[in-house]
Amino acid sequence: MSDVVTPGHRLGTYLKDRRRRLDPAAFGLPAERRRTPGLRREEVAQRASISPTWYTWLEQGRGGAPSADVLNRISRALMLTDVEREHVFLLGLGRPPEVRYRKEDGVTPRLQRVLDALDPCPALIRTATWNVVAWNRAATVMLADYAAMPPEQRNVLRFIFLDPKVRAAQYDWESVARLVVGAFRVDAARAGAAAEVEPLVEELCRLSPEFKAMWRDNDVRGNGEGAKHIRHPILGPIAFDHSAFAVDGRPDLSMVVYNPATPADRDKIRSLVDAAQAPGAAQASGAAQASGAA
């Protein structure tokens, strides 16, 4: 007998373990005495609308490679979480499942505290459609006063293409704009949000000939890290190193952190953040809307 554990056996072992953890009573099934804990194989198969024989073979590691549709049905039948469903796909097909975009506004208090702890580094959370949904104080004074805007206006592409002040704050607006469009296209596709971005794309194509031309170029860009230079209306020239991070469990969100490039820039930003908290600070934070948001 071979001791080699095949991918099929790993999948079967995991499915069996998940099945045995389920409470039959939670599914309205009879509470009669059962030889083993959890649901029976035929009960899972019925919930998944697949053959009981084939499901048995899958648990035994001899059912062959299941389709994505079958794995989705089994995942629903076993009441798997998103993380567990992903694990099933990795075991069964060697790849994660297709992303299902879920629009969820806002972030958890814990994630907001992470942003707040990053001061004086401006930091924000953006969606796959590049709407800004959370930010810290440094982002308010350096990038934009997001709290003063309606939620639908807190969009990075709208800033770049429709706000003259943001455009003037960029040292090389065209390069920044092309990077934003290419990275936005990648993020939307990766998060499965192609349908959700169509209204925004149509609006920008109508309002900005430059966006329309760049969108038609079909360029894609990575935006994981890079350098950013802006002209701030109060501090003058400021340089950042920026990095974008995925938010675990939320494929629709990215956290972007702008790290001041020099100690002098960091001190300037810290002074402005402190000033914005002092009495009569509306002028300092309000001026940030002219500094750029990408």
Side-chain angles (χ1 to χ4, degrees):
M1 180 180 295
S2 173
D3 292 329
V4 176
V5 179
T6 66
H9 281 93
R10 286 192 288 268
L11 173 62
T13 299
Y14 187 74
L15 294 178
K16 183 187 299 183
D17 178 78
R18 296 299 102 178
R19 174 174 61 81
R20 289 181 171 177
R21 295 188 183 204
L22 296 176
D23 180 5
F27 297 90
L29 296 172
E32 77 263 8
R33 187 177 184 87
R34 292 170 177 250
R35 289 184 299 173
T36 57
L39 298 187
R40 299 187 177 101
R41 288 180 177 132
E42 59 268 24
E43 291 168 340
V44 174
Q46 182 178 23
R47 285 177 50 79
S49 299
I50 62 176
S51 161
T53 300
W54 191 34
Y55 181 76
T56 299
W57 287 350
L58 285 176
E59 282 200 0
Q60 294 172 346
R62 58 190 183 97
S67 67
D69 177 61
V70 166
L71 289 182
N72 274 323
R73 283 187 273 161
I74 291 175
S75 297
R76 289 192 294 269
L78 294 174
M79 304 292 287
L80 300 185
T81 65
D82 286 345
V83 174
E84 291 168 340
R85 172 174 168 264
E86 180 182 34
H87 188 61
V88 163
F89 267 74
L90 291 172
L91 292 176
L93 297 177
R95 63 169 177 80
E98 183 178 345
V99 176
R100 297 179 297 188
Y101 181 69
R102 295 181 303 174
K103 181 180 178 181
E104 297 182 30
D105 295 328
V107 300
T108 63
R110 181 175 297 171
L111 191 53
Q112 181 62 58
R113 289 195 294 271
V114 171
L115 294 179
D116 294 339
L118 291 170
D119 277 329
C121 297
L124 56 84
I125 302 293
R126 71 182 182 214
T127 68
T129 58
W130 282 44
N131 290 325
V132 177
V133 293
W135 55 90
N136 62 5
R137 292 173 298 177
T140 295
V141 301
M142 293 305 300
L143 302 178
D145 189 0
Y146 301 109
M149 306 174 190
E152 65 274 9
Q153 294 301 316
R154 301 171 189 161
N155 182 271
V156 175
L157 278 84
R158 285 196 175 97
F159 293 142
I160 289 294
F161 287 95
L162 303 181
D163 190 328
K165 293 180 181 179
V166 172
R167 180 172 185 144
Q170 314 302 322
Y171 278 90
D172 185 352
W173 178 86
E174 183 173 350
S175 294
V176 171
R178 288 191 177 279
L179 174 64
V180 165
V181 172
F184 167 76
R185 187 188 293 274
V186 170
D187 282 356
R190 181 179 291 139
E196 283 72 15
V197 303
E198 285 183 7
L200 175 63
V201 170
E202 291 175 358
E203 176 190 355
L204 291 173
C205 284
R206 186 175 68 255
L207 298 177
S208 171
E210 290 159 311
F211 174 84
K212 185 176 182 179
M214 292 181 189
W215 187 254
R216 286 182 171 177
D217 285 343
N218 283 307
D219 285 342
V220 293
R221 305 284 183 94
N223 193 33
E225 60 183 24
K228 178 177 177 63
H229 302 266
I230 63 172
R231 302 182 184 94
H232 191 271
I234 296 177
L235 302 182
I238 296 289
F240 298 100
D241 295 318
H242 69 82
S243 301
F245 305 91
V247 177
D248 189 37
R250 291 290 301 273
D252 57 315
L253 296 183
S254 297
M255 180 170 67
V256 186
V257 180
Y258 298 89
N259 190 34
T262 68
D265 284 343
R266 179 181 291 268
D267 291 341
K268 290 179 183 179
I269 297 171
R270 188 185 300 276
S271 297
L272 193 60
V273 170
D274 292 342
Q277 294 180 278
Q283 181 178 358
S285 64
Q289 294 185 58
S291 66

mmCIF file with all atom_site columns, all heavy atoms in Angstrom, residues 8 13 25-26 29 42 58 78 90 95 106 174 183 198 203 214 226 262 266 287 294:
data_model
loop_
_atom_site.group_PDB
_atom_site.id
_atom_site.type_symbol
_atom_site.label_atom_id
_atom_site.label_alt_id
_atom_site.label_comp_id
_atom_site.label_asym_id
_atom_site.label_entity_id
_atom_site.label_seq_id
_atom_site.pdbx_PDB_ins_code
_atom_site.Cartn_x
_atom_site.Cartn_y
_atom_site.Cartn_z
_atom_site.occupancy
_atom_site.B_iso_or_equiv
_atom_site.pdbx_formal_charge
_atom_site.auth_seq_id
_atom_site.auth_comp_id
_atom_site.auth_asym_id
_atom_site.auth_atom_id
_atom_site.pdbx_PDB_model_num
ATOM 1   N N   . GLY A 1 8   ? -6.322  14.348 -4.035  1.00 0.00 ? 8   GLY A N   1
ATOM 2   C CA  . GLY A 1 8   ? -7.679  13.867 -3.841  1.00 0.00 ? 8   GLY A CA  1
ATOM 3   C C   . GLY A 1 8   ? -7.933  13.403 -2.420  1.00 0.00 ? 8   GLY A C   1
ATOM 4   O O   . GLY A 1 8   ? -9.001  13.634 -1.847  1.00 0.00 ? 8   GLY A O   1
ATOM 5   N N   . THR A 1 13  ? -10.216 14.094 2.929   1.00 0.00 ? 13  THR A N   1
ATOM 6   C CA  . THR A 1 13  ? -10.052 14.161 4.382   1.00 0.00 ? 13  THR A CA  1
ATOM 7   C C   . THR A 1 13  ? -10.649 15.446 4.942   1.00 0.00 ? 13  THR A C   1
ATOM 8   O O   . THR A 1 13  ? -11.311 15.442 5.987   1.00 0.00 ? 13  THR A O   1
ATOM 9   C CB  . THR A 1 13  ? -8.565  14.066 4.750   1.00 0.00 ? 13  THR A CB  1
ATOM 10  O OG1 . THR A 1 13  ? -8.043  12.808 4.302   1.00 0.00 ? 13  THR A OG1 1
ATOM 11  C CG2 . THR A 1 13  ? -8.356  14.190 6.252   1.00 0.00 ? 13  THR A CG2 1
ATOM 12  N N   . ALA A 1 25  ? -29.303 18.489 13.750  1.00 0.00 ? 25  ALA A N   1
ATOM 13  C CA  . ALA A 1 25  ? -30.482 19.205 14.211  1.00 0.00 ? 25  ALA A CA  1
ATOM 14  C C   . ALA A 1 25  ? -30.558 20.599 13.619  1.00 0.00 ? 25  ALA A C   1
ATOM 15  O O   . ALA A 1 25  ? -31.651 21.138 13.401  1.00 0.00 ? 25  ALA A O   1
ATOM 16  C CB  . ALA A 1 25  ? -30.476 19.286 15.740  1.00 0.00 ? 25  ALA A CB  1
ATOM 17  N N   . ALA A 1 26  ? -29.408 21.209 13.330  1.00 0.00 ? 26  ALA A N   1
ATOM 18  C CA  . ALA A 1 26  ? -29.398 22.555 12.749  1.00 0.00 ? 26  ALA A CA  1
ATOM 19  C C   . ALA A 1 26  ? -29.969 22.567 11.335  1.00 0.00 ? 26  ALA A C   1
ATOM 20  O O   . ALA A 1 26  ? -30.346 23.623 10.829  1.00 0.00 ? 26  ALA A O   1
ATOM 21  C CB  . ALA A 1 26  ? -27.969 23.105 12.747  1.00 0.00 ? 26  ALA A CB  1
ATOM 22  N N   . LEU A 1 29  ? -32.826 17.799 10.547  1.00 0.00 ? 29  LEU A N   1
ATOM 23  C CA  . LEU A 1 29  ? -32.762 16.355 10.311  1.00 0.00 ? 29  LEU A CA  1
ATOM 24  C C   . LEU A 1 29  ? -33.119 15.597 11.586  1.00 0.00 ? 29  LEU A C   1
ATOM 25  O O   . LEU A 1 29  ? -32.940 16.114 12.695  1.00 0.00 ? 29  LEU A O   1
ATOM 26  C CB  . LEU A 1 29  ? -31.358 15.971 9.832   1.00 0.00 ? 29  LEU A CB  1
ATOM 27  C CG  . LEU A 1 29  ? -30.955 16.575 8.477   1.00 0.00 ? 29  LEU A CG  1
ATOM 28  C CD1 . LEU A 1 29  ? -29.482 16.301 8.192   1.00 0.00 ? 29  LEU A CD1 1
ATOM 29  C CD2 . LEU A 1 29  ? -31.821 16.016 7.357   1.00 0.00 ? 29  LEU A CD2 1
ATOM 30  N N   . GLU A 1 42  ? -24.788 10.875 2.328   1.00 0.00 ? 42  GLU A N   1
ATOM 31  C CA  . GLU A 1 42  ? -25.926 11.057 1.418   1.00 0.00 ? 42  GLU A CA  1
ATOM 32  C C   . GLU A 1 42  ? -26.697 12.342 1.724   1.00 0.00 ? 42  GLU A C   1
ATOM 33  O O   . GLU A 1 42  ? -27.305 12.929 0.827   1.00 0.00 ? 42  GLU A O   1
ATOM 34  C CB  . GLU A 1 42  ? -26.852 9.842  1.472   1.00 0.00 ? 42  GLU A CB  1
ATOM 35  C CG  . GLU A 1 42  ? -27.437 9.519  2.851   1.00 0.00 ? 42  GLU A CG  1
ATOM 36  C CD  . GLU A 1 42  ? -26.591 8.530  3.617   1.00 0.00 ? 42  GLU A CD  1
ATOM 37  O OE1 . GLU A 1 42  ? -25.375 8.434  3.331   1.00 0.00 ? 42  GLU A OE1 1
ATOM 38  O OE2 . GLU A 1 42  ? -27.155 7.843  4.490   1.00 0.00 ? 42  GLU A OE2 1
ATOM 39  N N   . LEU A 1 58  ? -15.409 11.156 -3.600  1.00 0.00 ? 58  LEU A N   1
ATOM 40  C CA  . LEU A 1 58  ? -14.601 12.351 -3.326  1.00 0.00 ? 58  LEU A CA  1
ATOM 41  C C   . LEU A 1 58  ? -13.981 12.269 -1.932  1.00 0.00 ? 58  LEU A C   1
ATOM 42  O O   . LEU A 1 58  ? -12.795 12.576 -1.756  1.00 0.00 ? 58  LEU A O   1
ATOM 43  C CB  . LEU A 1 58  ? -15.461 13.614 -3.436  1.00 0.00 ? 58  LEU A CB  1
ATOM 44  C CG  . LEU A 1 58  ? -15.837 14.080 -4.840  1.00 0.00 ? 58  LEU A CG  1
ATOM 45  C CD1 . LEU A 1 58  ? -16.776 15.281 -4.771  1.00 0.00 ? 58  LEU A CD1 1
ATOM 46  C CD2 . LEU A 1 58  ? -14.581 14.440 -5.637  1.00 0.00 ? 58  LEU A CD2 1
ATOM 47  N N   . LEU A 1 78  ? -21.973 22.258 3.039   1.00 0.00 ? 78  LEU A N   1
ATOM 48  C CA  . LEU A 1 78  ? -21.249 22.096 4.297   1.00 0.00 ? 78  LEU A CA  1
ATOM 49  C C   . LEU A 1 78  ? -21.189 23.389 5.106   1.00 0.00 ? 78  LEU A C   1
ATOM 50  O O   . LEU A 1 78  ? -20.540 23.424 6.162   1.00 0.00 ? 78  LEU A O   1
ATOM 51  C CB  . LEU A 1 78  ? -19.830 21.598 4.022   1.00 0.00 ? 78  LEU A CB  1
ATOM 52  C CG  . LEU A 1 78  ? -19.710 20.182 3.430   1.00 0.00 ? 78  LEU A CG  1
ATOM 53  C CD1 . LEU A 1 78  ? -18.264 19.887 3.063   1.00 0.00 ? 78  LEU A CD1 1
ATOM 54  C CD2 . LEU A 1 78  ? -20.236 19.140 4.423   1.00 0.00 ? 78  LEU A CD2 1
ATOM 55  N N   . LEU A 1 90  ? -8.374  25.181 -3.311  1.00 0.00 ? 90  LEU A N   1
ATOM 56  C CA  . LEU A 1 90  ? -6.935  24.951 -3.411  1.00 0.00 ? 90  LEU A CA  1
ATOM 57  C C   . LEU A 1 90  ? -6.613  23.462 -3.346  1.00 0.00 ? 90  LEU A C   1
ATOM 58  O O   . LEU A 1 90  ? -5.727  22.983 -4.069  1.00 0.00 ? 90  LEU A O   1
ATOM 59  C CB  . LEU A 1 90  ? -6.213  25.707 -2.297  1.00 0.00 ? 90  LEU A CB  1
ATOM 60  C CG  . LEU A 1 90  ? -6.224  27.236 -2.424  1.00 0.00 ? 90  LEU A CG  1
ATOM 61  C CD1 . LEU A 1 90  ? -5.650  27.877 -1.169  1.00 0.00 ? 90  LEU A CD1 1
ATOM 62  C CD2 . LEU A 1 90  ? -5.449  27.691 -3.652  1.00 0.00 ? 90  LEU A CD2 1
ATOM 63  N N   . ARG A 1 95  ? -6.179  26.010 -7.139  1.00 0.00 ? 95  ARG A N   1
ATOM 64  C CA  . ARG A 1 95  ? -6.323  27.458 -7.337  1.00 0.00 ? 95  ARG A CA  1
ATOM 65  C C   . ARG A 1 95  ? -7.457  27.965 -6.453  1.00 0.00 ? 95  ARG A C   1
ATOM 66  O O   . ARG A 1 95  ? -8.336  27.201 -6.060  1.00 0.00 ? 95  ARG A O   1
ATOM 67  C CB  . ARG A 1 95  ? -6.634  27.777 -8.790  1.00 0.00 ? 95  ARG A CB  1
ATOM 68  C CG  . ARG A 1 95  ? -7.967  27.211 -9.283  1.00 0.00 ? 95  ARG A CG  1
ATOM 69  C CD  . ARG A 1 95  ? -8.354  27.763 -10.638 1.00 0.00 ? 95  ARG A CD  1
ATOM 70  N NE  . ARG A 1 95  ? -9.592  27.195 -11.159 1.00 0.00 ? 95  ARG A NE  1
ATOM 71  C CZ  . ARG A 1 95  ? -10.811 27.572 -10.802 1.00 0.00 ? 95  ARG A CZ  1
ATOM 72  N NH1 . ARG A 1 95  ? -10.962 28.529 -9.889  1.00 0.00 ? 95  ARG A NH1 1
ATOM 73  N NH2 . ARG A 1 95  ? -11.884 27.022 -11.343 1.00 0.00 ? 95  ARG A NH2 1
ATOM 74  N N   . GLY A 1 106 ? -17.544 50.903 4.606   1.00 0.00 ? 106 GLY A N   1
ATOM 75  C CA  . GLY A 1 106 ? -16.989 51.053 5.935   1.00 0.00 ? 106 GLY A CA  1
ATOM 76  C C   . GLY A 1 106 ? -16.005 49.967 6.304   1.00 0.00 ? 106 GLY A C   1
ATOM 77  O O   . GLY A 1 106 ? -15.837 48.975 5.599   1.00 0.00 ? 106 GLY A O   1
ATOM 78  N N   . GLU A 1 174 ? 0.144   63.587 -15.959 1.00 0.00 ? 174 GLU A N   1
ATOM 79  C CA  . GLU A 1 174 ? -0.183  62.539 -16.925 1.00 0.00 ? 174 GLU A CA  1
ATOM 80  C C   . GLU A 1 174 ? 0.335   61.174 -16.473 1.00 0.00 ? 174 GLU A C   1
ATOM 81  O O   . GLU A 1 174 ? -0.377  60.164 -16.579 1.00 0.00 ? 174 GLU A O   1
ATOM 82  C CB  . GLU A 1 174 ? 0.373   62.867 -18.307 1.00 0.00 ? 174 GLU A CB  1
ATOM 83  C CG  . GLU A 1 174 ? -0.026  61.818 -19.348 1.00 0.00 ? 174 GLU A CG  1
ATOM 84  C CD  . GLU A 1 174 ? 0.351   62.193 -20.768 1.00 0.00 ? 174 GLU A CD  1
ATOM 85  O OE1 . GLU A 1 174 ? 0.767   63.347 -20.996 1.00 0.00 ? 174 GLU A OE1 1
ATOM 86  O OE2 . GLU A 1 174 ? 0.232   61.320 -21.657 1.00 0.00 ? 174 GLU A OE2 1
ATOM 87  N N   . ALA A 1 183 ? -3.860  50.826 -12.679 1.00 0.00 ? 183 ALA A N   1
ATOM 88  C CA  . ALA A 1 183 ? -3.987  50.098 -11.419 1.00 0.00 ? 183 ALA A CA  1
ATOM 89  C C   . ALA A 1 183 ? -5.449  49.889 -11.048 1.00 0.00 ? 183 ALA A C   1
ATOM 90  O O   . ALA A 1 183 ? -5.821  48.842 -10.510 1.00 0.00 ? 183 ALA A O   1
ATOM 91  C CB  . ALA A 1 183 ? -3.257  50.854 -10.310 1.00 0.00 ? 183 ALA A CB  1
ATOM 92  N N   . GLU A 1 198 ? -18.675 50.007 -14.006 1.00 0.00 ? 198 GLU A N   1
ATOM 93  C CA  . GLU A 1 198 ? -19.169 50.522 -15.290 1.00 0.00 ? 198 GLU A CA  1
ATOM 94  C C   . GLU A 1 198 ? -19.801 51.913 -15.185 1.00 0.00 ? 198 GLU A C   1
ATOM 95  O O   . GLU A 1 198 ? -19.504 52.782 -16.007 1.00 0.00 ? 198 GLU A O   1
ATOM 96  C CB  . GLU A 1 198 ? -20.151 49.531 -15.916 1.00 0.00 ? 198 GLU A CB  1
ATOM 97  C CG  . GLU A 1 198 ? -19.481 48.303 -16.514 1.00 0.00 ? 198 GLU A CG  1
ATOM 98  C CD  . GLU A 1 198 ? -20.477 47.372 -17.192 1.00 0.00 ? 198 GLU A CD  1
ATOM 99  O OE1 . GLU A 1 198 ? -21.658 47.755 -17.304 1.00 0.00 ? 198 GLU A OE1 1
ATOM 100 O OE2 . GLU A 1 198 ? -20.060 46.279 -17.608 1.00 0.00 ? 198 GLU A OE2 1
ATOM 101 N N   . GLU A 1 203 ? -19.311 57.609 -16.559 1.00 0.00 ? 203 GLU A N   1
ATOM 102 C CA  . GLU A 1 203 ? -19.352 59.010 -16.125 1.00 0.00 ? 203 GLU A CA  1
ATOM 103 C C   . GLU A 1 203 ? -18.051 59.730 -16.456 1.00 0.00 ? 203 GLU A C   1
ATOM 104 O O   . GLU A 1 203 ? -18.055 60.844 -16.990 1.00 0.00 ? 203 GLU A O   1
ATOM 105 C CB  . GLU A 1 203 ? -19.624 59.074 -14.627 1.00 0.00 ? 203 GLU A CB  1
ATOM 106 C CG  . GLU A 1 203 ? -19.579 60.496 -14.070 1.00 0.00 ? 203 GLU A CG  1
ATOM 107 C CD  . GLU A 1 203 ? -19.614 60.536 -12.559 1.00 0.00 ? 203 GLU A CD  1
ATOM 108 O OE1 . GLU A 1 203 ? -19.760 59.464 -11.924 1.00 0.00 ? 203 GLU A OE1 1
ATOM 109 O OE2 . GLU A 1 203 ? -19.492 61.645 -12.001 1.00 0.00 ? 203 GLU A OE2 1
ATOM 110 N N   . MET A 1 214 ? -7.300  57.351 -22.060 1.00 0.00 ? 214 MET A N   1
ATOM 111 C CA  . MET A 1 214 ? -6.461  56.432 -21.293 1.00 0.00 ? 214 MET A CA  1
ATOM 112 C C   . MET A 1 214 ? -7.171  55.105 -21.052 1.00 0.00 ? 214 MET A C   1
ATOM 113 O O   . MET A 1 214 ? -6.544  54.044 -21.074 1.00 0.00 ? 214 MET A O   1
ATOM 114 C CB  . MET A 1 214 ? -6.078  57.079 -19.953 1.00 0.00 ? 214 MET A CB  1
ATOM 115 C CG  . MET A 1 214 ? -5.154  58.262 -20.081 1.00 0.00 ? 214 MET A CG  1
ATOM 116 S SD  . MET A 1 214 ? -4.720  58.956 -18.448 1.00 0.00 ? 214 MET A SD  1
ATOM 117 C CE  . MET A 1 214 ? -3.881  60.476 -18.952 1.00 0.00 ? 214 MET A CE  1
ATOM 118 N N   . GLY A 1 226 ? 5.691   52.604 -4.645  1.00 0.00 ? 226 GLY A N   1
ATOM 119 C CA  . GLY A 1 226 ? 6.266   53.595 -5.529  1.00 0.00 ? 226 GLY A CA  1
ATOM 120 C C   . GLY A 1 226 ? 6.546   54.887 -4.785  1.00 0.00 ? 226 GLY A C   1
ATOM 121 O O   . GLY A 1 226 ? 6.422   54.977 -3.562  1.00 0.00 ? 226 GLY A O   1
ATOM 122 N N   . THR A 1 262 ? 11.530  61.678 3.875   1.00 0.00 ? 262 THR A N   1
ATOM 123 C CA  . THR A 1 262 ? 12.643  62.188 4.668   1.00 0.00 ? 262 THR A CA  1
ATOM 124 C C   . THR A 1 262 ? 12.160  62.526 6.079   1.00 0.00 ? 262 THR A C   1
ATOM 125 O O   . THR A 1 262 ? 10.965  62.795 6.290   1.00 0.00 ? 262 THR A O   1
ATOM 126 C CB  . THR A 1 262 ? 13.250  63.453 4.038   1.00 0.00 ? 262 THR A CB  1
ATOM 127 O OG1 . THR A 1 262 ? 12.289  64.521 4.123   1.00 0.00 ? 262 THR A OG1 1
ATOM 128 C CG2 . THR A 1 262 ? 13.623  63.206 2.578   1.00 0.00 ? 262 THR A CG2 1
ATOM 129 N N   . ARG A 1 266 ? 8.535   64.210 7.381   1.00 0.00 ? 266 ARG A N   1
ATOM 130 C CA  . ARG A 1 266 ? 7.740   63.623 8.468   1.00 0.00 ? 266 ARG A CA  1
ATOM 131 C C   . ARG A 1 266 ? 7.445   64.670 9.548   1.00 0.00 ? 266 ARG A C   1
ATOM 132 O O   . ARG A 1 266 ? 6.321   64.770 10.046  1.00 0.00 ? 266 ARG A O   1
ATOM 133 C CB  . ARG A 1 266 ? 8.483   62.431 9.066   1.00 0.00 ? 266 ARG A CB  1
ATOM 134 C CG  . ARG A 1 266 ? 7.752   61.758 10.226  1.00 0.00 ? 266 ARG A CG  1
ATOM 135 C CD  . ARG A 1 266 ? 8.579   60.594 10.765  1.00 0.00 ? 266 ARG A CD  1
ATOM 136 N NE  . ARG A 1 266 ? 8.617   59.506 9.799   1.00 0.00 ? 266 ARG A NE  1
ATOM 137 C CZ  . ARG A 1 266 ? 7.759   58.497 9.766   1.00 0.00 ? 266 ARG A CZ  1
ATOM 138 N NH1 . ARG A 1 266 ? 6.768   58.441 10.666  1.00 0.00 ? 266 ARG A NH1 1
ATOM 139 N NH2 . ARG A 1 266 ? 7.851   57.554 8.872   1.00 0.00 ? 266 ARG A NH2 1
ATOM 140 N N   . ALA A 1 287 ? -7.355  73.171 3.720   1.00 0.00 ? 287 ALA A N   1
ATOM 141 C CA  . ALA A 1 287 ? -6.442  73.396 2.614   1.00 0.00 ? 287 ALA A CA  1
ATOM 142 C C   . ALA A 1 287 ? -5.957  72.120 1.998   1.00 0.00 ? 287 ALA A C   1
ATOM 143 O O   . ALA A 1 287 ? -5.474  72.089 0.866   1.00 0.00 ? 287 ALA A O   1
ATOM 144 C CB  . ALA A 1 287 ? -5.234  74.203 3.110   1.00 0.00 ? 287 ALA A CB  1
ATOM 145 N N   . ALA A 1 294 ? -4.167  60.723 -4.898  1.00 0.00 ? 294 ALA A N   1
ATOM 146 C CA  . ALA A 1 294 ? -3.845  59.444 -5.529  1.00 0.00 ? 294 ALA A CA  1
ATOM 147 C C   . ALA A 1 294 ? -2.521  58.905 -5.002  1.00 0.00 ? 294 ALA A C   1
ATOM 148 O O   . ALA A 1 294 ? -1.665  59.652 -4.625  1.00 0.00 ? 294 ALA A O   1
ATOM 149 C CB  . ALA A 1 294 ? -3.742  59.614 -7.041  1.00 0.00 ? 294 ALA A CB  1
#
